[in-house]
């Protein structure tokens, strides 16, 4: 996936053939962020390249190798905000400097996996399998929310969204939760009744 930002192109992709600490990789990166340097069973390997605007020169590159529930690159798995790229990889969010791709911080936002990240007010919220996590731009958790069941359903791909300043998430048991930005449930709807 490629997105334009200012005078650059940000490329995000899965690089499952990459082997950390190997000299035989097809792609090399300026930075390798590994969940554990002794672990060779990484579930997700997300590559990032910053190109010049004509996509002729790679300005910086990084790969993130993580363990946990597998993630992919899609429209809502990352954000560009305040000269940083925030990207969901397995059960964490990584914040990388947009110029160099040096690590600003990383934060575990779920016990299993993280599906998406959205800016909400001046902070961020992630939709994980087990919880929503609301955190600031420094990677500090403000609140988390878990429910009766996992935040995945068979009926809908739109299990999590923001509407009029309210986070709406549905769990596997069919209950939809409406939360304000303080993490308080203001309404529950049971769609299985």
């Amino acid at each position: 996936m490629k997105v334009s930002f200012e005078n650059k192109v940000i490329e995000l992709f899965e690089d499952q053939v990459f082997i950390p600490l190997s000299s035989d990789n097809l792609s090399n990166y300026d930075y390798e962020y590994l969940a554990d340097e002794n672990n060779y069973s990484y579930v997700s390997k997300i590559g990032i390249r910053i190109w010049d605007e004509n996509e002729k020169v790679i300005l910086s590159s990084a790969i993130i190798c993580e363990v946990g529930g597998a993630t992919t690159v899609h429209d809502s798995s990352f954000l560009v905000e305040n000269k940083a790229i925030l990207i969901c990889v397995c059960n964490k969010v990584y914040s990388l400097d947009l110029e160099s791709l040096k690590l600003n911080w990383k934060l575990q936002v779920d016990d299993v996996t993280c599906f998406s990240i959205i800016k909400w007010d001046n902070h961020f919220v992630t939709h994980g399998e087990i919880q929503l996590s609301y955190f600031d731009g420094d990677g500090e958790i403000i609140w988390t929310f878990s429910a009766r069941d996992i935040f995945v359903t068979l009926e809908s791909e739109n299990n999590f969204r923001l509407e009029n300043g309210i986070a709406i998430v549905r769990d596997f048991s069919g209950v939809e939760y409406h939360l304000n930005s303080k993490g308080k449930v203001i309404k529950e709807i049971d769609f299985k009744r």
Side-chain angles (χ1 to χ4, degrees), residues 123-141:
H123 301 303
F124 306 95
V125 64
T126 54
H127 169 213
E129 184 171 334
I130 295 176
Q131 70 185 30
L132 301 184
S133 292
Y134 187 68
F135 54 94
D136 65 21
D138 294 323
E140 298 293 327
I141 296 271

Side-chain angles (χ1 to χ4, degrees), residues 148 161 168-171 173-178 185-193:
R148 296 174 181 88
R161 63 193 184 279
I168 301 169
V169 64
R170 189 179 295 193
D171 71 15
S173 69
V175 177
E176 185 174 270
Y177 305 88
H178 296 230
V185 175
I186 56 174
K187 179 165 59 168
E188 284 186 24
I189 304 169
D190 190 343
F191 286 96
K192 297 286 185 178
R193 285 188 177 176

Side-chain angles (χ1 to χ4, degrees), residues 2-11 50-59:
K2 293 181 181 180
V3 293
S4 294
F5 182 77
E6 294 178 353
N7 59 345
K8 298 173 187 70
V9 174
I10 304 165
E11 178 185 21
I50 307 295
W51 295 82
D52 69 345
E53 61 190 330
N54 300 316
E55 295 186 55
K56 295 189 189 277
V57 177
I58 297 174
L59 304 172

Side-chain angles (χ1 to χ4, degrees), residues 25-43:
N25 285 307
L26 295 174
S27 295
N28 292 309
Y29 299 92
D30 297 330
Y31 299 98
E32 295 179 17
Y33 301 113
L34 311 177
D36 176 359
E37 291 186 18
N38 299 316
N39 186 342
Y40 295 97
S41 58
Y42 298 105
V43 175

Side-chain angles (χ1 to χ4, degrees), residues 7-167:
N7 59 345
K8 298 173 187 70
V9 174
I10 304 165
E11 178 185 21
L12 298 110
F13 54 96
E14 296 169 48
D15 189 352
Q16 292 302 90
V17 297
F18 179 81
I19 299 171
L21 310 174
S22 172
S23 60
D24 294 333
N25 285 307
L26 295 174
S27 295
N28 292 309
Y29 299 92
D30 297 330
Y31 299 98
E32 295 179 17
Y33 301 113
L34 311 177
D36 176 359
E37 291 186 18
N38 299 316
N39 186 342
Y40 295 97
S41 58
Y42 298 105
V43 175
S44 293
K45 300 174 190 173
I46 306 296
I48 306 164
R49 291 187 184 117
I50 307 295
W51 295 82
D52 69 345
E53 61 190 330
N54 300 316
E55 295 186 55
K56 295 189 189 277
V57 177
I58 297 174
L59 304 172
S60 55
S61 63
I63 188 160
I64 302 170
C65 302
E66 267 296 344
V67 295
T71 52
T72 61
V73 174
H74 53 85
D75 288 341
S76 59
S77 67
F78 69 96
L79 284 175
V80 176
E81 185 70 29
N82 295 330
K83 303 288 185 186
I85 182 165
L86 286 82
I87 183 166
C88 303
V89 185
C90 292
N91 62 352
K92 295 180 183 68
V93 170
Y94 280 72
S95 171
L96 305 178
D97 176 80
L98 197 51
E99 295 291 324
S100 65
L101 293 180
K102 286 183 182 176
L103 180 67
N104 296 324
W105 50 262
K106 70 178 179 178
L107 177 67
Q108 183 171 332
V109 293
D110 195 86
D111 287 337
V112 181
T113 194
C114 180
F115 303 119
S116 64
I117 181 170
I118 298 174
K119 185 171 182 183
W120 188 10
D121 293 336
N122 291 320
H123 301 303
F124 306 95
V125 64
T126 54
H127 169 213
E129 184 171 334
I130 295 176
Q131 70 185 30
L132 301 184
S133 292
Y134 187 68
F135 54 94
D136 65 21
D138 294 323
E140 298 293 327
I141 296 271
I142 297 168
W143 56 259
T144 61
F145 172 73
S146 298
R148 296 174 181 88
D149 211 333
I150 59 175
F151 293 130
V152 178
T153 65
L154 298 175
E155 297 85 22
S156 171
E157 292 183 15
N158 192 14
N159 298 320
F160 174 69
R161 63 193 184 279
L162 290 180
E163 288 182 5
N164 302 317
I166 302 297

